[in-house]
Amino acid sequence: MVNTNLKKRDLYLQQLKAFQDTEMIKVITGIRRCGKSSLMKLMADELRSSGKEDKQIIEINFESMRFSEMTVKEFYDYIADRVLPEKRMYLFFDEVQRIDGWENAVNSFRVDFDCDIYITGSNAHLLSSELSTYLSGRYVEIKVLPLSFREFLDFHGYQVTERKTLTGQMKKRITDDEGEVCDTKELYEAYAKFGGMPMLADVGLEQDKVTAALDGVYSAVVVRDILEREKRKGQRTITDSLLLRKLMMFLADNIGNSVSATSIGNTLVSEGLLENGKRKAKPATHTIQAYIEALKESFIFYEIKRFDIKGREYLKTLGKYYIVDIGLRNYLLGYRDGDTGHILENIIYFELLRRGYDVAIGKLDNKEVDFIATKTDEKKYIQVTEAMTSPETRERELSPLQKISDNYEKLVIAMDPGLAQDQDGIKIVSAIEFLLG
């Protein structure tokens, strides 16, 4: 049966369809509740619409109690009993890492049956496990993120159209389901406050409901994907849920700032964040690092490295961290005003990832370029700022780009671009127009 109430996410659906009926196993990764399961259902619907029979499609969600005690042998037998002779099978396994030894089963399906395999997982350990050993070169990872600003508008019932301004430029316009023109800045502010978790389209954008929904995401990530998983791995490193939350709050409060495991430990102690009764102990640097790795593995924080533009090499010095969803940041820290510049930077970083870029921070002598975004045949140098209206800000944002001597595209993305005149070949663009592009 086709799921008529599912919102399309064409960016990811097209990636899946591009690898349909190849021997590549499609591995869909991303933080919990970001839409991986819905994406698999959308793909199954596409198959049915193209004429595949229901019996050719097998879907298992391993979070269901029905499959919670299944062994890897029972998993194999369950599929083997349902394979149709002379027919290609389509296998969809949601949160498959909950089965011990699942890699053996998935590899056996690939070898034993005529099948097309799709799996999801909420932890990067999925791909650092034996899967990569068994399936070297035989899987493709589809990295799913929470909703982009454009998707956020679509999920919440808004339409984006284009109109020509009096000066001949094409400008985006947003209307609601009654055709009323909406305040674009206001909608962006809602996105920057509540974030892009897809389930918010069901619960609505009231703060208490959003907080309750994001609390569920937090619990699922921390308990199921970090604390429980570490126990299953037999590595009892990540056992302190209080330290984990304090660390998450610290990283959330410092998105876009350079940090190290040592500096984090010092700050947590100096600010009294680790006091427990009379105890005030600094956690070891390797402990902080292990906790950060767990947060990265569960796709809640992403690390960005520095790249020396002149030396053309990645640097081992301090990196920066961005949080996968701004709504989660506000859930952790409280819905407060301020830090809008770093929030915009965070949003632009993930938009670049959605568009398929590898992203690094650029270092040029003593100056820094916010992002170097690269694809196979493309490179962009990008500065992100709130406003380009004052001469001081223009100088600060433009000077690092002006020092770069190659001919790749250079742009400043600003919430308020001013009169937005390009300068020295550097484009100055509206952040909202960029996000809607």
Side-chain angles (χ1 to χ4, degrees):
M1 195 175 88
V2 173
N3 297 282
T4 54
N5 60 340
L6 286 178
K7 290 272 191 184
K8 284 282 181 80
R9 298 193 73 184
D10 284 333
L11 172 68
Y12 304 113
L13 193 55
Q14 294 309 318
Q15 290 178 46
L16 283 181
K17 287 167 73 174
F19 289 96
Q20 180 188 328
D21 290 323
T22 67
E23 76 156 338
M24 306 289 271
I25 291 175
K26 278 61 74 177
V27 183
I28 304 166
T29 60
I31 189 173
R32 281 186 180 272
R33 315 280 173 83
C34 73
K36 301 184 299 297
S37 303
S38 296
L39 180 62
M40 287 221 297
K41 287 173 184 167
L42 285 167
M43 187 63 204
D45 287 348
E46 288 282 325
L47 293 169
R48 292 184 181 98
S49 299
S50 69
K52 302 294 185 287
E53 299 172 27
D54 272 342
K55 287 184 178 179
Q56 288 177 263
I57 299 168
I58 302 174
E59 299 172 85
I60 300 180
N61 184 344
F62 286 103
E63 302 230 288
S64 164
M65 285 292 291
R66 185 181 171 197
F67 303 105
S68 61
E69 301 298 320
M70 186 179 262
T71 66
V72 67
K73 179 66 167 60
E74 288 167 344
F75 177 28
Y76 181 86
D77 292 342
Y78 180 91
I79 298 301
D81 290 345
R82 286 160 177 77
V83 168
L84 302 175
E86 314 284 319
K87 291 274 189 183
R88 187 162 181 76
M89 301 299 294
Y90 295 86
L91 312 180
F92 293 88
F93 306 132
D94 208 352
E95 299 296 342
V96 70
Q97 76 273 6
R98 294 185 78 83
I99 294 270
D100 283 336
W102 63 270
E103 305 94 336
N104 287 313
V106 168
N107 192 47
S108 295
F109 300 148
R110 184 186 65 78
V111 171
D112 296 349
F113 308 127
D114 178 14
C115 62
D116 197 20
I117 303 174
Y118 302 78
I119 66 178
T120 76
S122 299
N123 201 289
H125 180 67
L126 183 81
L127 291 178
S128 61
S129 66
E130 291 180 39
L131 177 71
S132 52
T133 306
Y134 279 121
L135 302 176
S136 177
R138 295 197 186 92
Y139 71 87
V140 58
E141 185 182 5
I142 311 294
K143 301 173 183 178
V144 179
L145 292 166
L147 304 178
S148 67
F149 180 47
R150 185 80 184 239
E151 288 179 311
F152 171 85
L153 295 173
D154 177 45
F155 270 54
H156 289 275
Y158 297 95
Q159 287 81 42
V160 181
T161 54
E162 272 196 322
R163 64 182 178 85
K164 193 176 253 188
T165 66
L166 292 173
T167 57
Q169 291 179 308
M170 296 305 292
K171 202 168 179 71
K172 302 284 193 307
R173 181 170 65 176
I174 303 172
T175 54
D176 62 19
D177 53 10
E178 294 177 355
E180 292 290 316
V181 177
C182 302
D183 184 328
T184 309
K185 186 87 181 290
E186 199 175 287
L187 289 169
Y188 167 80
E189 286 169 356
Y191 178 65
K193 180 175 183 177
F194 297 124
M197 282 296 180
M199 79 279 195
L200 298 187
D202 297 322
V203 303
L205 296 179
E206 293 171 31
Q207 190 166 309
D208 56 343
K209 291 180 178 176
V210 171
T211 300
L214 293 176
D215 185 62
V217 175
Y218 170 82
S219 299
V221 170
V222 169
V223 175
R224 291 191 192 178
D225 289 333
I226 298 180
L227 299 175
E228 278 187 9
R229 188 185 66 79
E230 293 296 328
K231 288 176 190 172
R232 287 200 300 272
K233 283 169 63 181
Q235 297 177 358
R236 299 302 301 271
T237 321
I238 315 299
T239 55
D240 188 337
S241 58
L242 177 63
L243 174 58
L244 188 64
R245 188 177 180 96
K246 295 292 187 187
L247 180 57
M248 288 174 73
M249 291 174 71
F250 178 88
L251 291 177
D253 204 21
N254 285 276
I255 52 173
N257 292 330
S258 299
V259 294
S260 70
T262 305
S263 68
I264 291 169
N266 292 337
T267 305
L268 290 178
V269 172
S270 66
E271 294 185 0
L273 294 173
L274 291 180
E275 285 192 72
N276 182 7
K278 293 183 178 179
R279 182 175 65 85
K280 191 176 183 181
K282 177 187 167 186
T285 298
H286 68 81
T287 302
I288 295 278
Q289 195 57 53
Y291 279 54
I292 290 174
E293 288 303 315
L295 291 170
K296 285 162 56 182
E297 280 196 358
S298 59
F299 303 109
I300 193 165
F301 284 97
Y302 285 59
E303 184 179 10
I304 180 170
K305 301 285 190 186
R306 275 189 162 71
F307 184 78
D308 185 336
I309 295 171
K310 273 189 178 174
R312 297 188 179 183
E313 63 179 2
Y314 285 96
L315 302 170
K316 291 180 180 175
T317 50
L318 305 179
K320 296 182 179 182
Y321 295 90
Y322 292 104
I323 191 165
V324 72
D325 182 70
I326 282 295
L328 280 170
R329 178 184 193 259
N330 293 330
Y331 157 80
L332 285 165
L333 301 177
Y335 297 90
R336 61 195 191 188
D337 293 328
D339 210 15
T340 49
H342 275 133
I343 287 172
L344 177 62
E345 198 179 299
N346 198 106
I347 287 169
I348 297 295
Y349 170 69
F350 283 101
E351 185 63 26
L352 292 169
L353 293 189
R354 281 186 198 92
R355 297 183 188 186
Y357 290 99
D358 290 319
V359 187
I361 305 161
K363 179 187 174 295
L364 191 64
D365 299 328
N366 63 338
K367 294 187 181 293
E368 191 170 278
V369 176
D370 288 334
F371 300 127
I372 305 174
T374 54
K375 287 185 185 178
T376 312
D377 54 351
E378 188 183 347
K379 183 186 287 187
K380 298 176 191 286
Y381 298 101
I382 299 168
Q383 293 283 75
V384 181
T385 186
E386 278 197 88
M388 284 290 279
T389 46
S390 75
E392 296 80 16
T393 307
R394 288 180 76 90
E395 164 65 21
R396 186 186 70 231
E397 300 300 334
L398 292 171
S399 63
L401 299 177
Q402 289 165 332
K403 289 188 71 172
I404 300 170
S405 56
D406 65 37
N407 294 318
Y408 289 111
E409 185 178 4
K410 302 170 185 71
L411 65 155
V412 178
I413 299 173
M415 186 52 65
D416 181 357
L419 296 176
Q421 287 187 334
D422 296 354
Q423 191 169 323
D424 299 329
I426 300 166
K427 294 179 185 173
I428 300 170
V429 300
S430 153
I432 290 177
E433 289 290 317
F434 176 81
L435 291 169
L436 293 176

